[in-house]
Every structure is written in C-alpha cells, then in structure tokens.
Amino acid sequence: MEIVTSVQNRTVKLFRSLSEKKFREREGLFPVEGGNISKDIPPSAKVRFVLAVPERLGEAEARFPEAQVIAVADEVMKSVSGTVTPYGLAAAVELPHFSFAPPSGNALLLDGVSDPGNLGTIIRTAAATGFNDVYLLDCADAYAPKAVRASMGGIFRVRVCAVTEEEALRLASDARSAALDMDGKDIFSFPVPAPCLLVAGSEAHGVRQSVLRAVKEVRALPMTGGMESLNVAVAAGIAMYTTFSLSIK
C-alpha cells in the first residue's frame, strides 16, 4: 500500500483548492470532510475520489466502492482538513446542478445570507422540516466547506438553487409566501400553512424591499427584553418549525 506523504501531491493540492469557490466551479467538485457527514453521502451522489488515512482505508473502500481511494499520511490529512482533529476521511463529490423550477412543496428563499455557517445550519433545519427547495439570492456558497459541515448532511437532502432577483420575485408572487420582518404579524398567532415559501434575509439588511413588496404575507417573531432581531439561522428555523408543526398535528 502506497501512502501519500507529500502535501504537494497533485490530488492533495486539488482537494485543498476546493476550499475556494472558483476552483469548486472549475473542477465541478466540492469537499466533504469528516466521519458523520461522509456517512450521509447518498448513493446517488457521485464521489470522484477519497483521501483516507491508513486506519480509515477499509471504511472508505466499503463506503465508496466506485471512487478512487487514496491513502494519505496523517499530516497530509491535517493539511486538507478544516477541523482541529480530522476524522481521517475526506471525499471530493461532484457538484449537483439544479435548474430553476417552482417548488414542489414547502420552500425557503434566503436573501443575502452571507455567513456559510448560518447557511449550512438553515439547510440542516430545512431538511429536517421538509423544506425541500432552498433558493439562494445573493447568498454564501452552499457548497463551501463551512456550509457543508454545518448542514450535517442536509446539503444532500434538499434542492439548493441560486436565483436572480427576477426569479426570486416570481417565486414570491406565485407561491403562498411569507417574509420574516419585525413589522409583520406574530407568526405564532398567524402561522403560515403548507405549502408555502418562507423568506428570510440577512441580519444586517433583512429582506430587500422588492421582495417584501412581492410576498403575500409578512410575519414576525415576538421578542422581549428590548431585542429586535435573532440570528437568521435561529429565526428561519423557528419559522420553518411553525409550518412543520401544523402538518404533524
């Protein structure tokens, strides 16, 4: 068994480059690194190659029988990992391509969510609550390493599609849509039933005015203690669960 010991190895350098969006787009790949999330990669996802430390080789070969599995030294794995204590398995997965289409059920439109950790957390909650279509308007890249890790496998369970403002306005106009904004009605007193399109904006700017004008309803989360806003991942999660709870009663 040959073990790659150089961080200058061509495949290792390729995997490391996937931390940048321009290289993800050029190669058509995104990185998935870690034990739990790698277990969530579905058979339908196309894994191009896998880097694994020697003690993870058997696991990698069993889990990804169609992929090229490359043994790497611990130091090489540390060089490609975004975590302090790497699990020892990292996969390069082909980027999915979802074209713009109307939602088939509950959906989420995110406007200007720029933090990949928040975006990944929202995707994780969307997958858990049946919001299977996630539309991104001027947001962070959902396939950035931090977003993928934060999604905890949710990235493989929802359709993620970047949209233009024109497409976002069409979604907001055509669907049963509700935007989160502090001037809206209390979402607990006036929950949004399924199927719906929930719209959440960035903490810095909220939902842009053009989208606010296009949505059918506006909802707010009640707060005390003089607080006026919540982290967008928390707010979106609460809103999705209010709709989800109506469907399971």
Side-chain angles (χ1 to χ4, degrees):
M1 178 182 61
E2 182 179 353
I3 300 176
V4 174
T5 58
S6 173
V7 297
Q8 298 304 317
N9 173 273
R10 177 185 296 181
T11 307
V12 172
K13 290 174 68 175
L14 169 60
F15 189 91
R16 195 159 52 241
S17 75
L18 300 179
S19 62
E20 296 184 43
K21 184 177 181 179
K22 63 179 180 180
F23 293 113
R24 291 194 293 274
E25 292 178 340
R26 187 184 75 180
E27 301 295 337
L29 298 170
F30 71 100
V32 176
E33 191 260 323
N36 290 332
I37 190 170
S38 62
K39 293 176 183 176
D40 288 325
I41 299 176
S44 58
K46 296 181 180 179
V47 179
R48 185 83 56 85
F49 65 87
V50 180
L51 305 179
V53 296
E55 57 266 36
R56 300 291 183 195
L57 272 181
E59 178 182 344
E61 291 170 345
R63 194 176 297 167
F64 308 109
E66 304 298 322
Q68 178 188 16
V69 178
I70 301 167
V72 299
D74 288 345
E75 290 305 312
V76 174
M77 181 58 67
K78 288 180 182 177
S79 76
V80 303
S81 175
T83 58
V84 177
T85 55
Y87 178 76
L89 192 155
V93 184
E94 292 187 11
L95 283 169
H97 296 286
F98 297 114
S99 57
F100 175 76
S104 56
N106 288 332
L108 192 64
L109 170 61
L110 302 178
D111 179 8
V113 176
S114 59
D115 182 87
N118 281 337
L119 179 57
T121 301
I122 293 170
I123 290 172
R124 179 181 183 180
T125 308
T129 54
F131 280 72
N132 296 321
D133 291 280
V134 179
Y135 300 96
L136 306 181
L137 175 59
D138 297 332
C139 292
D141 183 7
Y143 297 96
K146 187 177 180 181
V148 172
R149 286 196 301 272
S151 80
M152 293 298 290
I155 194 68
F156 299 111
R157 294 180 170 87
V158 300
R159 290 179 70 255
V160 178
C161 180
V163 296
T164 64
E165 183 170 348
E166 180 182 353
E167 290 168 333
L169 294 176
R170 194 186 318 165
L171 287 168
S173 300
D174 293 345
R176 177 189 285 158
S177 55
L180 299 180
D181 186 85
M182 60 184 296
D183 293 326
K185 296 179 180 178
D186 183 340
I187 197 168
F188 299 117
S189 300
F190 300 92
V192 185
C196 69
L197 173 79
L198 292 179
V199 185
S202 68
E203 283 187 290
H205 306 292
V207 178
R208 68 188 66 189
Q209 288 300 311
S210 60
V211 176
L212 276 177
R213 289 192 295 269
V215 297
K216 306 291 177 52
E217 303 282 349
V218 180
R219 294 291 184 269
L221 301 178
M223 297 176 222
T224 62
M227 300 301 294
E228 294 184 349
S229 67
L230 294 173
N231 173 278
V232 63
V234 174
I238 293 171
M240 284 186 280
Y241 263 101
T242 60
T243 295
F244 179 63
S245 66
L246 295 177
S247 66
I248 59 176
K249 286 182 178 179

